Amino acid sequence: MAGPLGRLGAVAKAALGVFGLGVMGRNLARNMASRGLAVAVYNRTRSRTEEMLAEYGNEGDFRPAWDVASLIAALERPRRILVMVKAGEAVDQAVAELRPHLEAGDVVVDGGNSNFRDTRRRAAALEAEGLRFLGTGISGGEEGALRGPSLMPGGTPEAYQLLEPIFISIAARKDGMPCCAYMGSDGAGHYVKMVHNGIEYADIQLIAEAHDLLRRIGGLGPDEQAAVFREWNQGDLDSYLIAISAEVLGRHDPRTGRPLVEVIRDEAEQKGTGKWTSQEALELGVPVSAITEAVFARFLSAQRERRVEAARLLPGPPPVGVAPERLVEDVRRALYASKVVAYAQGFEQLAAASAAFGWGLDLGTVATIWRAGCIIRARFLDRIREAYRERGDLPSLLLAPYFREVVADAQAAWRRVVGLAVEAGVAVPAFSSALAYYDGYRCDRGPASLIQGLRDYFGAHTYRRVDAEGSFHTRWGDDGIEVPA
Ligand code: NBP
């Protein structure tokens, strides 16, 4: 990627500039440098750049810049700048600082967790000036950024082409395939990342509920649970999140010697991407109930003081006894089936968004680039990839032969687990909403006819009939005569 000067022996300009050297920016820069790229690095607070260079400067060809003008001057043309700052206003500020120094054809990459609506706005504004903008979801956390993340770029194909060789070189790989692919125009990449995070919320909530069931009904301590999760990770549930659950459950607090999970407060925090996923699903009318329950569960967990008070005042049922071995296997099956539902919902949301925004998302490709590098990487993403490769317009993952079978096999255990949780008074919102979705989805005659009757009664909202086309209204108060609306 060296320019012509490089070949003549002068110092070649840097292939890319990283603006923002926080947890992610620093490690992405190191990842690029480790592939032999010269990387210009800039951070608003100078000391962070200095610290990075002091610690990692000898790892590769880093070119420190102490202001934005020098960052741009250090780059080969067209310039590529990866902005890795806090999502929101900071991105607008960074873009505003870069803008006066950029020329037509230069590309700004926003690799943070930006809201896709902001990405659409920023892309439109920069493209109107002949500049390029690539909203890129990056998953994998600190470690993924360094060793190989999953990359979800969205923007114009021309903008992507400028970044493709660098992205492919730094991305995680699975079966020789890079975990990076062009997602679609404007906000497509950040939308895919948002849904990735929404699914992550559901996945984590399901794991937390499994832990709670093993703890409160099965009576298993954290160390025993760590062994269970390790065992689960050998089978269909094999995934990064199950693997690290075993690690977290097995860890002891050096200060007290107690299992660390018992010392950590039961208050979940969030940065908002799960909430966005639910909000956007509501906009599109897609029922992502498992993801949304996961968001709600975090809200409820955060109301700790109220829960502590309510625990004293609100009675629950007497304890329920069950053989732990049977419970462990049932929970494993229920977890897998619920997880299938959560992913089915997330992928359905992606399909709906793609249709609404004209992105042409390839869901098989999305599954492909989530197989490594990202937080929700899991063995069963191979199955999702196969399902969409077999049928690109699959209406739901639940209808793919493999998943149909998995859920059918698991359903008896799944129902036992949810029933047991209800009987024992253990809240399992994600397990139970996933099961309710499954039952609602496979129901060919639901209760919505009464909903329509009620709506027509109080608001003359009309209804449709099973045996005739058109809309109808019943004169409920008068003669009960039905009239075409
Ligand atoms: P950090 O919190 O580690 O660093 C934030 C960076 O943003 C710093 O370089 C900071 O500069 C810079 N910044 C801020 Br804040 N406001 C700025 C402004 N107005 N102008 C210029 N720079 C500004 O963040 P991070 O964890 O690296 O996350 C960066 C992005 O990547 C976020 O969108 C995040 O959601 C996303 N992400 C994070 C992870 C993860 O695991 N951490 C994973 C995937 C995606 P300063 O040093 O001068 O304050």
Side-chain angles (χ1 to χ4, degrees), residues 21-24 43-45 48 85-87 90 93 112-113 138 141:
L21 303 174
V23 174
M24 294 295 285
N43 193 74
R44 176 182 62 175
T45 308
R48 214 194 271 258
V85 300
K86 193 176 169 199
Q93 283 166 10
N113 276 337
I138 303 184

Side-chain angles (χ1 to χ4, degrees), residues 71 88 126 155 162 241 318 374-375 382 389 420 433 476:
L71 172 73
L126 288 184
L162 284 172
L241 284 171
C374 67
I375 303 298
D382 282 324
R389 286 282 172 261
L420 196 63
S433 76
W476 298 92

Side-chain angles (χ1 to χ4, degrees), residues 191 194-203 205-206 273-297 338 340-353 429-430 432-438 441:
Y191 199 99
M194 176 190 78
V195 173
H196 165 283
N197 285 24
I199 292 174
E200 179 187 308
Y201 271 58
D203 229 339
Q205 176 63 24
L206 288 167
T273 40
K275 185 174 79 177
W276 290 348
T277 310
S278 298
Q279 286 171 330
E280 294 300 335
L282 287 171
E283 288 299 324
L284 293 168
V286 182
V288 295
S289 50
I291 294 170
T292 306
E293 285 296 350
V295 176
F296 287 157
S338 303
V340 170
V341 168
Y343 280 68
Q345 294 177 343
F347 274 84
E348 192 185 327
Q349 179 170 352
L350 288 177
S432 55
S433 76
L435 180 55
Y437 177 85
Y438 176 70
Y441 192 71

